């Protein structure tokens, strides 16, 4: 077995077939910069585009062309799009609950509304001659260009916009209108008073303020949260006709572009007491469009310098994985400590803008490798929201910390008891995500443990993290039970990652994660919380020892997903799918087509095998072969786990399509957009993170051995060379693997 | 408080307002016989009838006019009725499973088929001038009389039939046809080859045998069980045209009845190896119709002498309770030891002809009081089927005896995992009756304990019963769990009597019944199984002590039905009913209208309060007031429990309608005939038994104190005097209560 593919940059020219030791990569290394330039010279594609107008693609395009900066996300809809097309300026870390509806993040009033009368979509689609949407992941700029037949020629509308990566309250847009003939058009632009909400409306009122050429629209919720969008425009013709929208007549000269520059600022009461003043001041004092645009290029270039991946021989995979990282960077909370990433990123209010286990289990690896400060922010969020987790546990009669399944402000659980709507009756279905997916607390511990191990930095544990670990262990201690006549401990009535099976006993994944939590708590408490009663730690150790282990069957090597799983109907996915009556019906719940079968929603045992990394290859292979044809991959968290296990058993060819499925989740679109009758569309940052994990830990086979990173590459066919950079233990490392260097 | 209303017969003339001591009633007491005669002289009604023809009533009439003798039950359908009308000669204690269908009892070929061409229902309903069905509960004879317009006048067809109470293999029918004018009619009569099956057909083939004027039809199943119906007729004209049916032309003379006497015999391989020979011999040698009819009168008179109840002042209630006892006597297994009573009696194959907890908990009191040998047979059945209960426990990984929820031969559980069909999707719904209604084993113990305490006869315990108690205790021991950090023991994931709530924790009823079992096992094992390890008994006692007690709330007195019940939506029955989309939809399961509310199917806490009789009146009152408006009474086992508790707290007026609901369940008909799309109609012997319990332990307030029965009457308004007889501790006791003698 050949391995060790960590290459210092100067070795890039001579790695093929050679085993080399890893070396520290100097920060801002010149050689690596050259490599990036070299790659750029080969015209590696950084642009994703779609041409032609299809309203059915509005939702997917909104995700596909998303721009963001961690503070806000702007869906990739066109200027004249509104509520119907799910246009949104989605905000991180600010939530509101309207009445008894689902709590969800607030959308700011959209300042980039722009519509030209008579050449607007979808109304004038019949006059469209060309239409193109594009996103350059190199600098996070969205472009829209549409040409319409007009009375005496053609009119072309171009928008270019971005969320400023360095000044996160700002977003900017340049609109260019060009006609082939002299004409006068009516243009409406500015802050749209129509705000898309799923469980709203959240604003009781919207207030318009105008001052020094800045127009601001402030929404206020019934609990007095305020969100202000202020807009400074290069054009102040015409007048405000509705909301913060100005309507003007503009004279176009044949062939001469008419240009509108807009710079907007968003502030909320989460940022301070006077969001209007802050937003208006920020809009007024912001640099001009061109300056912001240049700043944006520089900011993204710096990000890409650390993140960029090159895959010689597979342009599709190369783009897909870089595109995945683009999304993860666009939604990364760089600007604020103790803020985390929502399961749908900043692509809207679906999943309530809440933080799921996705962050710790699927996104953390990328942030650790490329944006360690973001990894820290995400985990600080868990430390800071410990009181919410303690409250949740208490409300169920448990001890310790039961983290929210869908965490919103203060760690409150936004997950309701009814998450799915029955397509046959229209009734809400009682679901058990909130109360029985107890593996969430272990995910938080897993994240803290990974952060500490990966970075070598234990300051998170010292500053509250250890307490989180202790309280999560206490939570499991209060849950674990035993038959009075048995020595085996059980975790009863849980739901594992596979949500299609409710009320299961001793879910293999959950039990092992709970055991990890208990063991880690003993270690962490002794070191960081020496005042902890040793007797309690002995209880932890005892529970970890006796908690039921779903051991691989000695003959088959199979691990039972939960007690009794193998007694369920043994059918594969196509059979179960064929039993659907309504394509939107929920596969899980009590009576869903999968519920009484062995068909599962997503990686469960397979997630365990990868996540805890303590099983030999033959066990992984046996379980991979058994569970894969029984897995719907109905969650975007599934394919990457299978791909990682496939790599672990030397099957990169099997991993490859699963890797692409993850990496292209938001490129392809059209994923599962409905759970029963509830819309769950949006971007898939966990799939993006999963794709990154497959590349790094699967195809490159990164491990940390003997105090340094080593590679055990298992490259898919056709991949000539992979290069990427990771941050580890405070230093940057350049990784390189070439065809032929298999583990 | 005045009490003690047990009266010796000679005191009957002078009880009003007087407290008298109970005295033993001499067997075959003359005075009591006179009382019965006296009552008969007042022309107490013993006949139930329905006039007019309504095919929609076929199912209800089949139950309403059921005749039976414990060996078989003949549904109250008319002679020409067949499969469509659910005509059946239903057999006790013989089951068959067709393929993967539900196992169910066999129906014998019906020998009492008779149809006259041109004057047959429903085909000739337009010519009907009168139609009457009647049943005399005094002697168990069914009568049908229909008059049709014929070409030149009228033709009347009369059937009278009964199942012979003393010769349980026999059933007899007299058909009389009278025309107002001379005419020739075509009559078909004999053994119908069409056998009604729900999950059949069960017979692979039916074989016709004829010998010495006896016609026999034998059905054979694929597992070689054989059922033979042999018929001897007074008419041998015409010829066999199909099955065992003879078709003949008969000449009717104006005004002169033409008469056909039929005596049939049914034998099966459960009775011996040669059912055909036995049936044919029995049919051939049976007495003539008139002699059998007289024997029948005598047999029933003897039964009524012990069972008859008189209620002066309330003829409706009097008939209803006697009618209830008629049903219980008609299906009572007098003829065979170790045979029990099915939940739908002998009214057909619904509920698979299986034995439920109904027998021990709702019917046993009547049998103990009036037919103690039947009570014994029912409990012998449980002793004999212990191996089946041990097997069932083992199959679930439990120890001890887990009795079948729906017990068929050998104690096998006929209950499947799918008992309800979803009305919206047509899919079977996974139910949890079989695997989580663990209170069934306690019901068996409860029955054994009651039998022993009531009769004073411990021979059942000595001959296997003690072993049953021990194994049931072991079963609960293997189920009981505890949180590792708690001292309280739990029974998790159970279903209580209220089947609308699945997967509940610490159901109050189940926990107390399990505790009773454990405590009783300690007592019984020390006495009858001295070889039992004392350490095991100490474990039983420990578990009984620590098992969670759903104690009455100190402030409200309320007992929580299970952990978390009071957190469910607090609505009443009408609100929940109003949410139904389809009247046939199942209220329970995961998503039924009741599932997430406090609305329950049937008495649960209230059943506990009555059954264990250890709670003070204020606690019963508080729980009665709380639970009653939240109870659908969707089971025929519910109303009687509420009525008993209402009596216990001095509210006979509240009890009265619930008593009538139980007593008239099969008179009124129209009860719940569907669970989703599954037909569950039939008679309701548990409701009948429950009505008897309300009368005896509720209205009369029978208790056994200081070694003798005492009454604590709480009579409904208008009841002047109640008289009945019970057998207790080997002796007969005459009970009498009069208006004004309230407890």
């Amino acid at each position: 077995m050949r391995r060790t593919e960590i290459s210092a940059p100067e070795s890039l020219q001579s790695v093929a077939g050679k085993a080399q030791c890893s070396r520290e990569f100097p920060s801002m290394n010149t050689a690596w910069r050259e490599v990036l330039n070299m790659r750029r010279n080969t015209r590696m594609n950084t642009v994703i585009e779609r041409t032609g107008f299809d309203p059915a693609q509005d939702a997917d395009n909104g995700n596909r062309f998303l721009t963001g900066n961690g503070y806000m996300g702007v869906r990739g809809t066109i200027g004249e799009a509104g509520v119907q097309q799910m246009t949104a300026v989605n905000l991180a870390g600010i939530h509101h609950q309207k009445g008894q509806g689902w709590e969800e993040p607030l959308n700011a009033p959209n300042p980039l509304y722009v519509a030209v009368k008579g050449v607007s979509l979808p109304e004038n689609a019949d006059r469209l001659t060309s239409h193109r949407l594009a996103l350059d992941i190199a600098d996070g700029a969205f472009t829209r260009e549409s040409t319409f037949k007009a009375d005496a020629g053609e009119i072309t509308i171009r928008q270019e916009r971005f969320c400023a990566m360095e000044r996160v309250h700002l977003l900017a847009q340049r609109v260019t209108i060009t006609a082939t003939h002299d004409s006068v058009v009516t243009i409406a632009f500015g802050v749209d008073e129509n705000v898309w909400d799923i469980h709203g409306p959240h604003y009781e009122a919207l207030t318009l303020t105008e001052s020094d050429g800045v127009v601001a629209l402030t929404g206020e919720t019934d609990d007095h949260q305020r969100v202000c969008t202020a807009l400074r425009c290069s054009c102040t013709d015409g007048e405000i006709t509705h909301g913060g929208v100005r309507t003007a007549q503009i004279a176009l000269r044949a062939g001469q572009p008419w240009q509108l520059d807009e710079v907007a600022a968003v502030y909320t009461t989460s940022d301070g007491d006077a969001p209007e003043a802050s937003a208006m001041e920020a809009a007024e004092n912001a640099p001009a469009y061109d300056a912001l645009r240049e700043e944006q290029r520089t900011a993204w270039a710096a990000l890409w310098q650390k993140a960029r991946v090159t895959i010689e021989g597979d342009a599709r995979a190369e783009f897909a994985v870089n595109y995945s990282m683009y999304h993860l960077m666009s939604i990364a909370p760089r600007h604020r400590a103790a803020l985390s990433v929502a399961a749908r990123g900043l692509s809207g209010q679906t999943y309530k803008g809440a933080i799921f286990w996705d962050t710790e289990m699927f996104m953390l690896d990328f942030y650790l490798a490329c944006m360690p400060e973001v990894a820290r922010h995400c985990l600080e969020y868990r430390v800071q929201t410990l009181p919410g987790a303690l409250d949740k546990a208490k409300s169920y009669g448990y001890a310790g910390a039961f983290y929210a399944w869908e965490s919103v402000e203060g760690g409150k659980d936004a997950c309701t008891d009814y998450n799915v709507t029955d397509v046959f009756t229209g009734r809400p279905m009682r679901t058990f995500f909130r109360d029985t997916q107890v593996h969430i607390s272990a995910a938080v511990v897993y994240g803290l443990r990974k952060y500490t191990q990966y970075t070598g930095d234990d300051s998170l544990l010292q500053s509250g993290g250890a307490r989180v670990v202790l309280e999560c262990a206490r939570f499991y201690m209060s849950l674990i039970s035993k038959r009075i006549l048995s020595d085996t401990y059980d975790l009863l009535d849980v739901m594992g990652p596979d949500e299609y099976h409710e009320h299961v006993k001793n879910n293999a994944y959950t039990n092992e994660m709970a055991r990890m939590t208990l063991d880690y708590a003993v270690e962490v408490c002794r070191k960081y919380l020496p005042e902890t009663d040793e007797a309690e730690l002995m209880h932890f150790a005892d529970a970890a020892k006796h908690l039921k282990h779903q051991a691989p069957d000695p003959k088959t090597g199979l691990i039972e997903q939960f007690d009794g799983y193998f007694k369920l109907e043994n059918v594969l996915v196509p059979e179960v799918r064929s039993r659907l009556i309504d394509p939107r019906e929920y596969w899980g719940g009590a009576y869903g087509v999968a519920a009484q079968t062995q068909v599962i929603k997503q990686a469960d045992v397979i997630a365990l095998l990868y996540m805890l990394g303590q099983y030999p290859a033959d066990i992984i292979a046996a379980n991979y072969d058994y569970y894969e044809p029984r897995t719907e991959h109905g969650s975007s968290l599934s394919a990457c786990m299978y791909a990682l296990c496939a790599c672990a058993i030397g099957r990169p060819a099997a991993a490859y399509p699963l890797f692409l499925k993850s990496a292209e989740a938001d490129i392809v679109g059209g994923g599962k957009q409905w759970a029963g009758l509830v819309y769950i569309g949006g971007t898939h940052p966990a799939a993006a993170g999963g794709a990154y994990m497959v590349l790094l830990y699967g195809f490159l086979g990164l491990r940390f051995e003997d105090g340094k990173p080593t590679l055990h590459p298992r490259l898919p066919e056709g991949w000539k060379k992979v290069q990427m950079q990771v941050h580890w233990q405070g230093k940057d490392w350049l990784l390189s693997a070439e065809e032929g260097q298999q583990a």
Side-chain angles (χ1 to χ4, degrees), chain A:
Chain A
M1 188 159 71
R2 296 217 308 265
R3 51 164 80 174
T4 62
E5 311 299 325
I6 303 290
S7 312
E10 59 268 34
S11 71
L12 281 171
Q13 280 77 16
S14 57
V15 283
K18 252 176 96 184
Q20 299 195 330
C21 290
S22 65
R23 288 207 285 168
E24 181 184 345
F25 185 75
S27 63
M28 299 304 287
N29 178 281
T30 316
W32 180 235
R33 189 174 283 170
E34 283 168 7
V35 172
L36 291 174
N37 288 338
M38 179 192 73
R39 301 298 310 151
R40 201 166 275 161
N41 291 341
T42 63
R43 297 190 170 274
M44 165 177 159
N45 177 42
T46 61
V47 174
I48 177 170
E49 66 168 23
R50 289 290 182 276
T51 54
F53 177 67
D54 176 7
Q57 285 286 312
D58 281 345
D60 276 341
N61 282 338
N63 302 321
R64 194 175 278 137
F65 298 108
L66 188 96
T67 50
N69 57 18
Y71 180 86
M72 64 182 127
V74 176
R75 288 179 61 80
T77 50
I78 57 177
E80 60 267 44
V83 168
Q84 190 66 32
Q85 290 79 20
M86 302 193 268
T87 297
V89 177
N90 188 240
L91 301 178
I94 181 166
H95 289 81
H96 178 255
Q97 184 175 20
K98 171 76 175 179
Q100 294 303 304
W102 283 359
E103 177 157 335
E104 54 190 21
L106 291 172
N107 286 330
N110 168 31
L112 306 183
Y113 176 79
V114 56
V116 179
K117 202 172 173 187
V119 285
S120 176
L121 292 173
E123 298 80 6
N124 308 114
D126 56 333
R127 301 165 66 181
L128 205 55
T129 59
S130 74
H131 180 67
R132 176 178 180 268
L133 302 182
L135 171 72
D136 190 342
I137 62 170
D139 56 10
F142 165 87
T143 313
R144 171 264 178 102
E145 194 167 288
S146 309
T147 301
F148 297 83
K149 276 181 230 152
D151 300 333
E154 283 185 335
I155 294 182
T156 298
I157 298 163
R158 189 172 193 281
Q159 296 171 258
E160 178 185 81
R161 70 171 183 234
F162 55 90
C163 295
M165 209 60 179
E166 286 306 312
R167 309 183 192 228
V168 294
H169 293 278
L170 300 187
L171 60 173
Q173 177 168 262
R174 171 168 287 169
V175 178
T176 315
I177 305 175
T178 317
T180 55
H181 54 292
D182 288 359
S183 61
V184 173
V185 295
T186 304
I187 183 169
F189 58 94
V191 193
D192 192 354
E193 78 276 22
N194 299 302
V195 179
W196 174 46
D197 283 324
I198 297 181
H199 295 278
H202 292 289
Y203 299 125
E204 296 283 293
L206 284 163
T207 311
L208 177 71
T209 316
E210 266 194 279
S211 170
D212 295 327
V214 172
V215 170
L217 212 55
T218 305
E220 182 161 357
T221 63
D222 55 11
D223 60 353
H224 309 299
Q225 298 189 84
R226 293 201 308 284
V227 174
C228 178
T229 301
L231 175 66
R232 188 188 79 203
C233 293
S234 61
C235 169
T236 52
D237 297 345
E239 53 188 31
I240 303 288
T241 48
H242 57 94
V245 174
R246 180 176 297 274
T247 303
Q249 306 277 328
I250 57 170
L252 301 174
R253 293 265 188 95
Q256 290 190 13
W258 177 86
Q259 183 171 301
L260 168 69
D261 283 356
E262 296 173 294
V263 179
V266 178
Y267 276 82
T268 77
T269 35
S270 293
D271 302 312
D273 289 340
E276 302 87 344
S278 300
M280 294 183 78
E281 191 184 322
E284 189 175 345
N285 299 332
Y289 183 86
D290 286 319
L292 275 175
R293 185 78 180 81
E294 191 48 40
E295 211 174 89
Q296 178 78 347
R297 285 196 186 95
T298 308
W300 271 99
L303 292 172
W304 281 121
Q305 185 167 359
K306 290 187 180 271
R308 185 166 192 143
V309 169
T310 61
I311 304 176
E312 282 180 51
D314 191 341
R316 175 181 174 183
E318 182 183 68
F319 181 77
V321 73
N322 282 292
Y323 176 80
S324 294
M325 292 187 291
Y326 161 80
H327 272 289
L328 288 165
M329 292 190 283
S330 294
I331 59 176
R334 292 151 56 247
H335 63 289
R336 202 172 102 190
L339 188 62
S340 190
V341 182
R344 287 289 186 247
L346 293 169
S347 64
Q349 291 162 324
T350 43
Y351 289 165
K352 304 152 191 164
I355 315 305
F356 287 62
W357 68 315
D358 302 35
T359 315
E360 280 78 9
M361 304 307 279
F362 299 88
M363 304 182 209
L364 199 64
D365 288 276
F366 168 75
Y367 292 131
L368 282 169
C370 297
M371 307 175 93
E373 78 286 5
V374 169
R376 187 180 178 91
H377 291 173
C378 292
L379 292 166
E380 284 168 349
Y381 172 82
R382 297 299 195 179
V383 175
Q384 198 182 77
T385 56
L386 176 62
L390 295 173
D391 284 349
K392 178 176 170 185
K394 205 171 168 187
S395 77
Y396 283 108
Y398 304 140
F402 186 5
Y403 273 88
W405 185 244
E406 305 182 7
S407 185
V408 291
E409 81 284 357
K412 181 180 156 185
D413 202 334
C415 185
T416 67
D417 287 343
Y418 296 85
N419 278 264
V420 177
T421 301
D422 188 316
V423 297
F424 301 107
T425 62
R427 290 178 183 146
M429 296 164 81
R430 176 70 164 91
T431 44
F432 298 89
F433 310 132
R434 187 188 205 274
D435 32 4
T436 71
Q437 273 187 302
V438 298
H439 62 79
I440 177 63
S441 289
V444 171
V445 172
Y446 186 86
L448 283 166
R449 191 181 74 151
K450 177 178 278 184
Y451 178 88
T452 306
Q453 291 176 347
Y454 187 95
T455 62
D457 164 24
D458 65 359
S459 65
L460 252 179
L461 290 180
Q462 289 187 41
S463 57
R467 181 87 201 167
V468 167
V469 176
L470 171 62
E471 296 296 349
C472 289
R474 284 177 171 161
F475 167 61
Y476 290 114
M477 287 302 288
S478 74
L479 272 183
I480 293 171
S481 63
K482 70 186 279 288
R483 289 266 158 80
I484 56 173
L485 296 186
S486 166
D487 288 332
T488 304
Y489 294 178
D490 302 306
L491 265 177
L492 305 176
D493 196 14
V494 305
M495 181 184 280
D498 160 34
E499 295 174 334
Y500 288 166
H501 294 90
E502 298 175 341
H503 307 301
V504 308
K505 298 179 182 176
N506 290 318
N507 168 252
Y509 175 91
T510 306
N511 279 23
E512 295 313 318
M513 282 289 172
R515 194 190 325 276
M516 178 277 294
T517 300
L518 293 165
D519 283 335
Y520 193 52
V522 173
E523 180 188 331
V524 161
C525 289
R526 283 190 182 141
K527 189 161 178 192
Y528 300 99
L529 296 170
E531 69 279 16
T532 317
D533 184 355
E534 182 63 20
E536 182 173 22
L537 300 184
M538 295 299 285
H539 280 145
F540 291 179
D542 167 78
K545 186 177 162 196
H546 289 95
L547 185 58
K548 180 162 180 182
H549 175 51
Q550 298 284 16
D553 182 275
K555 279 188 194 162
T556 63
L558 294 183
I559 294 171
E560 188 163 34
Q561 188 174 306
F562 49 78
D563 290 351
Y565 169 84
F566 287 132
K567 288 184 185 160
L568 296 175
E569 190 191 4
N570 187 6
V571 287
L572 306 188
V573 174
E575 164 63 21
V576 163
R577 183 176 281 114
S578 76
R579 298 176 185 174
L580 288 173
I581 296 173
D582 184 314
R584 295 170 309 165
E585 70 173 287
Y586 186 52
W587 288 39
Y591 313 115
V593 288
Q596 300 301 327
T597 76
Q598 291 183 27
V599 166
I600 62 177
K601 182 181 179 189
Q602 68 197 85
D604 196 301
V605 167
I606 293 301
L608 163 66
L609 295 181
Y610 170 71
M611 292 289 187
L612 289 183
Q614 60 199 19
Y615 294 86
D618 60 333
I619 298 298
I620 298 175
N623 284 281
Y624 180 93
D625 289 338
Y626 192 84
Y627 282 105
E628 207 286 325
R630 289 165 179 81
T631 303
E632 185 214 0
H633 297 302
S635 159
S636 59
L637 313 183
S638 185
C640 57
M641 291 292 115
Y642 278 92
L644 282 157
C645 282
C647 289
I649 53 177
R651 302 188 196 171
Y656 185 73
L658 297 165
F659 159 75
L660 270 192
K661 185 180 163 86
S662 297
E664 295 186 339
D666 294 321
I667 295 175
V668 172
K672 224 177 198 182
Q673 307 225 345
W674 299 93
L677 296 174
V678 177
Y679 178 70
I680 55 168
T683 58
H684 298 82
Y692 184 85
M693 290 163 82
V694 176
L695 177 66
L696 188 60
Y697 297 104
F699 295 140
L700 291 192
L702 175 64
R703 291 186 211 158
F704 304 102
E705 296 164 317
D706 305 326
K708 61 180 193 221
T710 55
L711 297 190
H712 306 251
R714 289 148 301 208
L715 300 188
E717 209 177 312
W719 286 25
K720 298 197 186 321
K721 188 171 181 179
V722 180
Q723 288 182 316
M724 63 194 295
Q725 182 179 325
V726 298
H727 194 80
W728 180 69
Q729 303 273 351
K731 296 167 185 168
D732 291 320
W733 303 78
L734 176 62
L735 314 184
S736 174
E738 289 192 43
E739 198 174 16
Q741 290 177 304
Q742 299 306 320

